């Protein structure tokens, strides 16, 4: 059979748009083609609501800009990883959980093909110092066999040096102890430290003042205690080790000055980094942060770093000084198509940030400009080293990311991310040296920075020892709750993390979603057990249309929120509002619900929450899942228990209906028995029964612990309510007794002594109303009127008192 397709295109400027027509030959009964029959023209639909465009807040523009990947839907993304020398803390959680949320949105929601690369900084000034300090303290412990005067003097000398070099930075000039007088002035300084204003002045001079003072104070207390032990003859090695442990922050600095350069076993640096890297990823897995697609470590890319630095020098943007190589920021800034400090040009002259970026072990001499930074550092004794054309050395901090990102992603990338504290100088230096090497105007197209984390109003800092570890926080809150806390605040804004946030808003959101999913799963299970209702009724009426419209509107608004630079607080609110509307629908009188629609809403809400990384436990079914205890294993409680529970619930329903309908003497006992089954017997099994208006109970499976907690909370609320009621009744009784006691005085005696001071009035009438004052003058009309009113009130009080007195006697 011949088929011919004819495409009819209207002029692009003329409506309607493209029309299509299909020619199909018509066959007569003998199979021959007769006259042609055409389908009517078809027009390409006109889109009523265009899809929103994804925009990101780009630190390079400080505005929300449209996201345009370099290659189709493939996204090259580099994220700055941790410098591994200590426990991961809440600042890490804020950064890496937030980056994980954004990554999930890009891959699981928008469908981009993301190549996510992250580095581990496993060699750095901080790692070198921490490893040396730990090594030297460990050696001192192993060499110490008893608490001795020599050890005590060693700690004292280290303490005095620490006070001079560290604590004095935050002290007023007039209060800085002269060398040798530290011990004598210390008690006065400890007393001054209690003054919050004085302490604040010290922090303004040196942000580490409080940390240094606390370290010195702890060491001094340990020294005083050790002195007492030594004098009393207690010289056990345990006491010596306790002194070393308590004074290690102070001792380590002195030991490093004395012996740091003698550390020749460079495996101690890698061992420290390897230990904390493993600890970091353990914490990330507990927080449900996905592993990077590609993980790089600095120590694995040293040859590439050397070559990269050579390329920068060759291009005219680097110079060598005494075995170190520095980046020439002035030469770069003057070059065509280049600009130094794109992210924070106002910070170019910030010496404090520049020095912090160079590290504590850096040597500043020989640089052409204060803004120039190390690409390659000549290694000093006690530092790890690798061969290079400039002699033994190690990578500068900033060069690491440039080399590793270029090695994996090439000469450009779509997204670079990290914490806002890295913007300058780290990220600005990264871009400068990368653009200098690749000779390109833009190495990164979109820079996204997560905001600072404040805890109870205070900024967290590992260097200030003002931090809460991830392990500590996960003992108080779940990974889901932490992620919810970050989702409820903008990713690039400062996060205020507080107890009230976690126990208030976050816990409320979690409970609302949990209750919603539990109810919907119970309703779906109930509907499946009962089978389809073949009663001929149309269950898609106005309430169903309104809920469907709400679902569609929520889906549109949700996409718009995420297109608006990943506005997760708004996205979460949209899900909450949809859940609220669905809950209203579930309470529709008559119970004629369209369960399929409810299930559709719940599945979409659950899918979006899982997309954010909020999923737990099982990955299928309605909701966001719940973690199972170890003893549950892979058992499907719902599948196993539901048939029996429905039977039990049905039995209970029948008993309740019978008792309610009969109204005989057994009614109360039967109802109490059914309530006991609900409130006592089924709670340890994790079964909740919610009584409904139609007389049937909705069966829910909830964790036993949650049910017990809810029951105890309800009981506590009932007891508190009863206590308040009793207290109110007692207060009312006391008030009544006070009023009755006031009525004990007969009205005719109210204005006579001893109820009023002697001589207040001169005469009274027969009812006891005063006529004259103490001088015999007749009372004014207003005064008389006021007294008469009070006399009337007293008469009523006295009558009440006599009535109450009679009742008491009876």
């Amino acid at each position: 059979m011949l088929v011919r397709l004819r495409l009819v295109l209207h002029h692009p400027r003329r409506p309607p748009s493209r029309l299509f027509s299909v020619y199909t030959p018509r066959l007569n009964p003998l199979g021959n083609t007769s006259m042609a029959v055409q389908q009517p023209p078809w027009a390409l639909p006109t889109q009523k609501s265009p899809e929103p465009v994804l925009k990101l807040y780009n630190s390079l523009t400080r505005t929300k800009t449209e996201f345009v990947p370099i290659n189709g839907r493939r996204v090259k993304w580099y994220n700055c990883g941790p410098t591994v020398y200590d426990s991961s803390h809440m600042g890490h959680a804020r950064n890496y959980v937030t980056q994980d949320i954004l990554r999930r949105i890009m891959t699981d929601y928008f469908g981009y093909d993301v190549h996510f690369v992250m580095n581990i900084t496993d060699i750095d000034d901080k790692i070198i110092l921490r490893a040396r300090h730990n090594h030297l303290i460990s050696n001192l412990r192993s060499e110490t066999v008893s608490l001795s005067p020599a050890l005590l003097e060693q700690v004292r000398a280290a303490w005095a040096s620490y006070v001079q070099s560290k604590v004095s930075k935050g002290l007023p000039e007039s209060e800085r102890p002269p060398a040798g007088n530290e011990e004598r002035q210390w008690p006065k300084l400890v007393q001054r430290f209690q003054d919050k204003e004085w302490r604040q002045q010290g922090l303004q001079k040196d942000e580490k003042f409080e940390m240094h003072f606390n370290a010195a104070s702890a060491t001094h207390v340990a020294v005083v205690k050790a002195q007492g032990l030594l004098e009393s003859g207690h010289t056990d090695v345990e006491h010596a080790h306790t002194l070393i442990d308590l004074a290690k922050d102070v001792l380590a600095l002195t030991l490093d000055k004395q012996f740091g350069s003698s550390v020749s076993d460079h495996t101690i640096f890698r061992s420290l980094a390897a230990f904390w890297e493993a600890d970091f990823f353990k914490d990330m897995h507990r927080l449900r942060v996905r592993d990077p697609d590609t993980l790089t470590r600095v120590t694995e890319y040293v040859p590439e770093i050397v070559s990269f630095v050579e390329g920068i020098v060759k291009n005219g943007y680097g110079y060598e000084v005494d075995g170190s190589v520095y980046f020439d920021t002035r030469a770069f800034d003057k070059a065509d198509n280049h600009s130094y400090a794109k992210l924070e040009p106002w910070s170019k002259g910030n010496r404090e940030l520049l020095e912090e970026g160079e590290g504590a072990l850096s040597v500043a001499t020989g640089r052409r400009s204060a803004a120039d930074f190390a690409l390659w550092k000549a290694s000093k004794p006690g530092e790890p080293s690798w061969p290079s054309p400039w002699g033994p050395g190690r990578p500068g901090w900033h060069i690491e990311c440039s080399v590793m990102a270029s090695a994996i992603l090439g000469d450009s990338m779509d997204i670079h991310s990290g914490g806002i504290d890295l913007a300058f100088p780290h990220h600005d230096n990264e871009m400068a040296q990368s653009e200098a090497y690749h000779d390109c105007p833009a190495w990164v197209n979109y820079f996204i920075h997560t905001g600072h984390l404040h805890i109870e109003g205070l900024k967290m800092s590992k260097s200030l020892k003002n931090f809460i570890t991830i392990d500590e926080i996960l003992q108080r809150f779940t990974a889901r709750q932490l992620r919810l806390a970050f989702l409820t605040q903008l990713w690039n804004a400062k996060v205020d993390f507080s107890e009230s946030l976690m126990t208030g808003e976050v816990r409320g959101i979690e409970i609302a979603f949990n209750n919603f999913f539990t109810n919907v799963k119970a309703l779906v299970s109930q509907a499946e057990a009962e089978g389809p209702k073949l009663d001929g009724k149309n269950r898609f009426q106005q309430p169903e249309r309104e809920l469907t419209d709400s679902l569609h509107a929520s889906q549109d608004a949700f996409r718009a929120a995420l297109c608006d630079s990943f506005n997760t607080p708004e996205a979460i609110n949209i899900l909450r509002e949809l859940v609220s509307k669905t809950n209203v629908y579930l309470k529709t009188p008559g119970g004629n619900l369209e369960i399929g629609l409810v299930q559709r809403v719940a599945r979409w809400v659950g899918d979006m929450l899982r997309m954010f990384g909020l999923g737990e436990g099982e990955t299928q079914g309605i909701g966001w899942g719940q973690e199972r205890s170890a003893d549950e294993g892979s058992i499907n409680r719902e599948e196993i228990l539901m048939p029996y529970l429905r039977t039990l619930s049905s039995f209970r329903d029948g008993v309740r209906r019978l008792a309610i309908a009969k109204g005989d003497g057994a009614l109360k006992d039967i109802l109490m028995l059914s309530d006991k089954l609900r409130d006592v017997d089924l709670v340890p099994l994790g079964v909740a029964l919610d009584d409904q208006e139609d007389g049937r109970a909705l069966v829910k499976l909830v964790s036993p612990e949650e049910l017990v907690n809810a029951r105890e909370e309800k009981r506590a609320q009932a007891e508190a309510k009863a206590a308040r009621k009793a207290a109110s009744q007692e207060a009312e009784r006391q008030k009544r007794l006070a009023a009755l006691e006031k009525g004990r005085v007969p009205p005719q005696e109210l204005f006579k002594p001893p109820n009023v001071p002697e001589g207040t009035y001169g005469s009274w009438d027969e009812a006891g109303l005063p006529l004259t004052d103490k001088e015999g003058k007749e009372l004014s009309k207003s005064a008389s009127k006021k007294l008469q009113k009070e006399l009337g009130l007293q008469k009523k009080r006295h009558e009440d008192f006599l009535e109450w007195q009679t009742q008491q006697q009876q």
Side-chain angles (χ1 to χ4, degrees):
M1 179 176 69
L2 296 175
V3 177
R4 187 172 64 205
L5 174 67
R6 185 174 68 196
L7 175 64
V8 181
L9 293 178
H10 275 245
H11 192 281
R13 294 182 182 174
R14 294 181 197 159
S17 57
R18 287 175 254 180
L19 299 176
F20 297 86
S21 165
V22 176
Y23 168 76
T24 306
R26 182 178 177 183
L27 301 179
N28 61 23
L30 297 177
N32 298 322
T33 303
S34 61
M35 61 182 295
V37 177
Q38 292 186 359
Q39 288 181 301
W42 176 86
L44 190 71
T46 301
Q47 196 174 44
K48 291 182 178 179
S49 302
E51 186 174 321
V53 174
L54 173 61
K55 294 184 177 182
L56 308 183
Y57 182 86
N58 189 356
S59 296
L60 288 165
T61 63
R62 304 262 163 181
T63 60
K64 296 175 184 177
T65 53
E66 182 179 347
F67 180 64
V68 181
I70 300 169
N71 295 310
R73 299 196 65 79
R74 188 180 310 124
V75 175
K76 296 189 290 184
W77 186 338
Y78 183 84
N79 185 43
C80 272
T83 300
V84 282
Y85 68 98
D86 205 341
S87 299
S88 303
H89 54 67
M90 276 293 292
H92 291 117
R94 157 62 170 163
N95 184 39
Y96 295 108
V97 171
T98 300
Q99 299 290 352
D100 184 68
I101 290 169
L102 304 188
R103 177 186 175 191
R104 287 170 183 264
I105 293 172
M106 290 290 283
T107 57
D108 298 1
Y109 186 77
F110 288 119
Y112 285 103
D113 301 317
V114 174
H115 184 186
F116 192 85
V117 181
M118 189 181 82
N119 76 293
I120 293 291
T121 297
D122 58 351
I123 192 63
D124 173 80
D125 288 26
K126 293 175 181 177
I127 294 172
I128 294 169
L129 284 171
R130 179 62 61 85
R132 279 202 322 225
H133 290 177
N134 289 352
H135 176 71
L136 294 171
I137 289 290
S138 177
N139 283 353
L140 179 62
R141 281 181 110 259
S142 62
E143 293 166 0
T144 300
V145 295
S146 66
L147 181 61
S148 64
L151 175 63
L152 197 58
E153 185 54 37
Q154 183 181 10
V155 177
R156 269 207 181 96
W159 175 81
S161 174
Y162 190 87
V163 171
Q164 290 294 336
S165 63
K166 299 295 182 182
V167 178
S168 289
K169 289 181 181 179
L171 296 177
E173 288 281 354
S174 59
E175 298 185 58
R176 292 177 182 174
N181 284 355
E182 298 86 5
E183 189 84 34
R184 189 177 303 111
Q185 286 191 216
W186 187 251
K188 183 180 177 181
L189 291 175
V190 170
Q191 187 176 2
R192 295 283 279 147
F193 190 73
Q194 306 308 312
D195 184 342
K196 185 177 180 181
E197 186 177 343
W198 185 86
R199 200 162 62 241
Q200 204 61 38
Q201 290 172 357
L203 287 169
Q204 289 173 2
K205 290 176 178 291
D206 176 21
E207 67 172 355
K208 298 183 180 181
F209 173 64
E210 191 166 357
M211 179 189 78
H212 290 150
F213 198 99
N214 286 332
S217 184
T219 301
H220 188 264
V221 170
V223 166
V224 171
K225 185 176 180 181
Q227 180 69 49
L229 290 168
L230 192 61
E231 291 173 355
S232 61
H234 295 88
T235 60
D236 295 349
V237 68
E238 290 80 8
H239 297 314
H241 286 173
T242 299
L243 174 60
I244 293 170
D245 292 342
L246 292 175
K248 65 180 181 181
D249 289 341
V250 170
L251 264 174
L253 296 182
T254 299
L255 291 172
D256 194 67
K257 286 180 182 177
Q258 295 173 331
F259 310 111
S261 60
S262 67
V263 176
S264 57
D265 182 6
H266 293 167
T267 60
I268 67 166
F269 307 115
R270 185 69 196 105
S271 297
L272 178 83
F275 175 84
W276 288 117
E277 177 188 332
D279 191 73
F280 168 80
F281 279 111
K282 181 181 72 175
D283 285 338
M284 291 302 104
H285 294 156
R286 293 169 70 192
L287 291 171
R288 297 190 175 85
V289 172
R290 288 175 176 170
D291 287 336
D293 297 319
T294 303
L295 179 70
T296 63
R297 297 178 185 87
V298 179
T299 53
E300 298 169 354
Y301 282 80
V302 176
E304 290 84 351
I305 291 173
V306 171
S307 297
F308 204 93
V309 174
E310 286 183 303
I312 293 174
V313 173
K314 181 180 178 182
N315 289 346
Y317 300 112
Y319 59 93
E320 185 261 344
V321 177
D322 298 332
S324 295
V325 182
Y326 295 96
F327 187 82
D328 192 334
T329 54
R330 287 177 180 171
F332 181 79
D333 220 6
K334 291 176 182 177
D336 294 338
N337 297 322
H338 289 315
S339 180
Y340 177 61
K342 292 180 178 180
L343 292 169
E344 293 186 9
W346 50 85
S347 295
K348 283 183 182 181
N350 190 323
R351 288 184 176 273
E352 185 179 349
L353 289 176
L354 290 167
E355 289 175 8
E356 185 180 342
E358 287 304 279
L361 297 174
S362 295
V363 177
T365 56
R367 290 185 296 178
R368 296 175 183 173
S369 165
D372 292 356
F373 54 90
L375 300 170
W376 182 263
K377 296 180 178 181
S379 291
K380 299 183 292 295
E383 298 177 6
S385 64
W386 287 263
S388 81
W390 317 283
R394 56 190 177 87
W397 177 36
H398 313 295
I399 196 70
E400 303 168 356
C401 292
S402 293
V403 174
M404 292 183 287
S406 296
I408 305 301
L409 300 176
D411 60 3
S412 65
M413 69 182 75
D414 297 293
I415 298 175
H416 193 319
S417 57
I420 187 61
D421 54 316
L422 297 179
F424 184 89
H426 184 54
H427 288 156
D428 269 323
N429 289 354
E430 266 191 64
M431 282 192 291
Q433 62 201 8
S434 299
E435 290 164 10
Y437 175 82
H438 294 296
D439 194 22
C440 64
W443 184 56
V444 176
N445 290 333
Y446 298 86
F447 237 120
I448 59 179
H449 289 104
T450 54
H452 282 303
L453 175 74
H454 286 226
I455 294 186
E456 302 293 349
L458 297 175
K459 179 186 171 183
M460 278 196 57
S461 169
K462 184 185 285 188
S463 64
L464 299 178
K465 297 193 176 179
N466 165 38
F467 65 92
I468 301 173
T469 67
I470 291 174
D471 184 64
E472 288 169 341
I473 206 68
L474 286 177
Q475 292 177 27
R476 299 174 56 203
F477 305 108
T478 66
R480 172 183 284 170
Q481 289 166 345
L482 289 178
R483 191 171 284 246
L484 267 175
F486 298 141
L487 280 163
T488 58
Q489 303 186 57
L490 291 173
W491 61 271
N492 58 333
K494 182 186 77 174
V495 169
D496 284 313
F497 186 87
S498 64
E499 188 79 19
S500 59
L501 170 68
M502 299 303 294
T503 58
E505 181 182 5
V506 169
R507 183 64 181 136
I509 293 172
E510 185 179 39
I511 289 173
F513 282 131
N514 274 337
N515 289 344
F516 173 68
F517 292 135
T518 301
N519 284 337
V520 172
K521 284 195 286 187
L523 287 168
V524 169
S525 179
Q526 187 179 70
E528 289 174 349
E530 293 174 351
K533 294 181 179 180
L534 305 176
D535 52 10
K537 291 183 180 178
N538 178 359
R539 287 181 171 76
F540 205 89
Q541 300 297 326
Q542 187 61 26
E544 287 71 30
R545 280 191 287 273
E546 290 176 356
L547 183 57
T548 301
D549 290 343
S550 294
L551 170 60
H552 294 161
S554 297
Q555 290 171 326
D556 292 342
F558 188 86
R559 178 169 288 273
L562 295 188
C563 281
D564 183 21
S565 190
F566 310 125
N567 189 341
T568 58
E570 178 63 19
I572 291 292
N573 283 335
I574 290 165
L575 298 180
R576 294 173 69 185
E577 288 172 10
L578 179 60
V579 165
S580 179
K581 290 177 181 178
T582 309
N583 285 334
V584 171
Y585 172 75
L586 292 177
K587 295 175 182 177
T588 303
N592 192 28
L593 301 174
E594 176 53 54
I595 295 299
L597 173 58
V598 175
Q599 189 173 4
R600 182 183 169 202
V601 170
R603 284 192 179 279
W604 181 72
V605 172
D607 287 346
M608 294 305 98
L609 293 174
R610 287 182 180 279
M611 179 271 296
F612 284 139
L614 293 166
E616 291 182 354
E618 68 274 10
T619 57
Q620 302 299 320
I622 294 170
W624 56 4
Q626 291 289 344
E627 285 288 14
R628 292 175 175 172
S629 60
D631 54 349
E632 283 185 279
S634 59
I635 296 173
N636 189 325
R637 292 173 65 225
E638 189 167 350
E639 187 177 296
I640 295 173
L641 295 176
M642 265 303 181
Y644 305 97
L645 295 177
R646 288 198 194 95
T647 301
L648 178 61
S649 179
S650 177
F651 166 75
R652 178 177 175 273
D653 295 340
V655 172
R656 289 185 73 247
R657 283 195 293 268
L658 182 64
I660 293 170
K662 292 259 180 173
D664 53 24
L667 172 62
K668 186 176 180 180
D669 291 338
I670 293 175
L671 288 176
M672 286 178 62
L673 189 64
S674 67
D675 287 341
K676 178 178 177 292
L677 178 67
R678 178 194 64 197
D679 300 332
V680 178
D681 300 335
L682 293 179
V683 166
L685 300 175
V687 179
L689 302 180
D690 279 3
D691 294 329
Q692 302 178 104
E693 290 183 3
D694 62 0
R696 297 183 305 167
L698 188 63
V699 183
K700 303 178 184 179
L701 287 176
V702 187
S703 73
E705 182 181 3
E706 188 175 332
L707 281 180
V708 170
N709 290 340
R711 182 182 66 187
E712 296 306 315
E713 186 177 344
K714 185 176 179 181
R715 181 181 297 167
Q717 289 173 349
E719 290 173 354
K721 183 178 179 181
R724 288 194 298 270
K725 183 177 180 181
S728 176
Q729 289 174 342
E730 177 60 19
E732 192 63 35
R733 190 180 74 84
Q734 292 296 333
K735 184 178 177 183
R736 168 74 173 156
L737 288 175
L740 289 169
E741 186 60 30
K742 198 171 182 180
R744 183 184 293 274
V745 178
Q748 58 270 23
E749 298 298 323
L750 182 63
F751 301 113
K752 296 178 182 180
N755 299 310
V756 295
E758 191 73 40
T760 303
Y761 302 108
S763 60
W764 300 263
D765 65 11
E766 62 276 6
L769 182 70
L771 299 175
T772 61
D773 62 14
K774 63 181 178 179
E775 297 175 357
K777 293 180 182 179
E778 186 176 349
L779 297 176
S780 66
K781 286 185 178 181
S782 61
S784 181
K785 186 176 181 181
K786 184 177 179 182
L787 293 171
Q788 194 167 7
K789 183 179 179 182
E790 182 61 24
L791 189 68
L793 290 172
Q794 185 63 18
K795 183 179 179 182
K796 177 66 173 65
R797 294 189 195 107
H798 190 61
E799 288 172 356
D800 291 343
F801 172 76
L802 294 175
E803 182 182 350
W804 173 79
Q805 194 175 50
T806 302
Q807 292 174 351
Q808 294 299 309
Q809 290 171 352
Q810 291 175 350

